[in-house]
Amino acid sequence: MATCKVLAKEVLHSRKAISRMYVNKAQMMSIGNALTEQLAMLRVSGTLQKSSDVMKLVNDSIKLPEMQKTMFEMSKEMARAGLIEEMMNDSLDSALDNDSIEDEADEEIEKVLLEVAGETMAALPAAKARPAAVAAPAEQLADADDELRERLNAMRTT
């Protein structure tokens, strides 16, 4: 039985040793992760240092007052170019629009003249049927024609 007690003590010591090994393993892994994190932080800080050195060199190579002056002149030139282009586009548009307006006006004049001619032609057969009553409507038609011609001339001048 003494050997059983010794054997039981050895099993207990082995189990405690195994649990201590698991604890030690966890601590070692934690230390490994901490070292990996520190290494990454060192790399980041090195990269930031290089980046700041490059930015410093760029800042030293750029002359800020000269850059501002150049940018101001460039914006003035771009504004002038934009205004000139806008004026050219407006003048071209207005020139092209005048032609289309004249064409539309000519079409409207043709329609009015055809309409007046149609009304005049419709009034002609009625004139043969009643010769005595034709004198007054003919004068009215002449007045209407004069009025239409005045309107036509007014449209052409505008």
Side-chain angles (χ1 to χ4, degrees):
M1 177 113 171
T3 56
C4 284
K5 280 186 176 183
V6 172
L7 187 60
K9 285 182 184 181
E10 288 296 320
V11 169
L12 285 176
H13 288 297
S14 295
R15 287 184 183 164
K16 285 183 182 180
I18 290 172
S19 67
R20 276 186 264 142
M21 289 178 98
Y22 282 132
V23 169
N24 287 337
K25 181 181 177 184
Q27 288 176 348
M28 294 292 275
M29 289 181 76
S30 174
I31 291 170
N33 288 339
L35 288 174
T36 304
E37 181 183 351
Q38 286 181 356
L39 180 62
M41 291 300 283
L42 282 173
R43 287 181 182 162
V44 168
S45 67
T47 304
L48 288 175
Q49 180 64 35
K50 288 178 184 177
S51 177
S52 66
D53 291 343
V54 169
M55 300 243 333
K56 184 178 178 184
L57 289 172
V58 168
N59 195 22
D60 290 342
S61 67
I62 293 177
K63 309 288 191 264
L64 188 60
E66 291 176 15
M67 177 78 85
Q68 286 176 336
K69 182 181 176 185
T70 303
M71 294 301 287
F72 183 71
E73 290 173 3
M74 187 173 170
S75 69
K76 283 172 48 177
E77 289 296 323
M78 289 176 72
R80 273 192 228 142
L83 289 175
I84 291 171
E85 182 180 354
E86 187 175 324
M87 287 171 45
M88 291 291 290
N89 287 341
D90 288 345
S91 63
L92 286 174
D93 289 343
S94 65
L96 295 175
D97 286 344
N98 285 342
D99 291 339
S100 65
I101 289 172
E102 288 178 16
D103 291 341
E104 289 175 14
D106 289 340
E107 289 176 12
E108 288 299 318
I109 291 169
E110 288 290 327
K111 288 179 184 177
V112 169
L113 290 176
L114 287 174
E115 191 175 309
V116 169
E119 289 174 2
T120 306
M121 294 299 284
L124 284 178
K128 290 180 185 175
R130 294 180 282 170
V134 172
E139 290 175 10
Q140 290 176 351
L141 285 176
D143 291 338
D145 286 343
D146 291 338
E147 183 182 331
L148 286 174
R149 281 192 184 106
E150 289 175 12
R151 288 168 110 189
L152 179 60
N153 287 333
M155 288 175 69
R156 285 184 180 167
T157 58
T158 55

